[in-house]
Amino acid sequence: MRTSAAKKTEPEAPATSAKGAGPALLESVAIVFTILDQLAAARRPLGVTELALAIDEPKPRVYRHLASLRQLGVVEQDLVSEKYRLGAKLVSYGTAAGEQFDLRLIADPYLTQLRDQTSQTALLSAVTEDSALVISSVESTNQVCITVKPGNRVPHHCSAQGRIVLAYCDPATQRKILRRELQAYTDRSMVEPARILERLALIRERLFEEANGEVLEGINVLAAPIFRGAEKGDELMGIIGVIGASKDVPSPPPPGMVKLVQQAAAALTERLNGVSYERLGLARAGKN
């Protein structure tokens, strides 16, 4: 058996972002996860043309990424329609991720406490690339209650949770999303890009958001961001809030209700080593 000495080379330095703040996001990786997010949001198989239009990328590039993902078992292709759907391999990834870190488990007592304090259904959403996915809810004990089932992906432009995620996206991602045709679910839906950008700045300043009647008439959601501490500053991890009839979760929201939602978000943020709520004096508020 022939052997040869390995040539010693210096380790390659990681690519850095334009600002020199750390490793740059590889474009190919970003496209892959944009494709996966779009397939998850659609909840049905999509063709190459549909995907390319939805994510604003050239069709050949989308096809090449889909072909690679199919070979890896991450996506599957229907033999008849030739459309693509999420692959079974992602189920094992999701299970493993849940075992390693489960925001639902950490947030469960805070959801229950928020439900009891407000008498409204409490919701927990996880961050996707440019929107939010409801992953847990604790329903109101009222005889008639409003809730959202886990697995529901909310609109990024006209929902409280979606706009919170959008508020912490980088400016390029925000512009890309707001160039799309934004669906108006009701007459109240926020679809004007300039107005949305103003609202995103307000979210970052006040650390809460509401969306009264923007997805369904007569229904409001009041939510606050959950952050995780990181080397370069807090990162958005999730969103906690309440949903109810507009008469029970009014707009503008009562300061007392806003404080309850923010206290839950602040306590979870502190548990995740975040500091974003310290400026509001809520760093230890609502902590169990």
Side-chain angles (χ1 to χ4, degrees), residues 110 262-272 282-283 285-288:
Y110 298 95
Q262 286 185 321
Q263 283 178 339
L268 284 164
T269 293
E270 189 174 19
R271 286 197 59 177
L272 298 172
L282 293 171
K287 194 169 184 180
N288 287 346

Side-chain angles (χ1 to χ4, degrees), residues 52-127:
L53 289 173
I55 68 174
D56 194 23
E57 292 288 349
K59 185 176 176 180
R61 179 181 295 175
V62 173
Y63 174 78
R64 289 196 300 270
H65 282 83
L66 285 168
S68 296
L69 291 170
R70 184 184 63 185
Q71 288 181 351
L72 294 170
V74 177
V75 301
E76 298 171 354
Q77 186 178 26
D78 186 275
L79 295 177
V80 177
S81 68
E82 297 186 344
K83 293 185 176 183
Y84 294 85
R85 57 178 177 266
L86 297 178
K89 194 169 188 178
L90 291 175
V91 176
S92 62
Y93 288 163
T95 301
E99 291 172 351
Q100 293 177 45
F101 178 79
D102 194 345
L103 181 61
R104 291 170 295 186
L105 183 63
I106 298 173
D108 185 64
Y110 298 95
L111 286 170
T112 301
Q113 181 181 28
L114 189 57
R115 185 274 311 272
D116 294 342
Q117 290 172 330
T118 64
S119 298
Q120 306 303 315
T121 296
L123 300 175
L124 177 70
S125 300
V127 176

Side-chain angles (χ1 to χ4, degrees), residues 228-239:
R228 174 173 59 184
E231 184 177 347
K232 302 173 189 175
D234 282 4
E235 297 175 347
L236 184 65
M237 187 67 186
I239 305 101

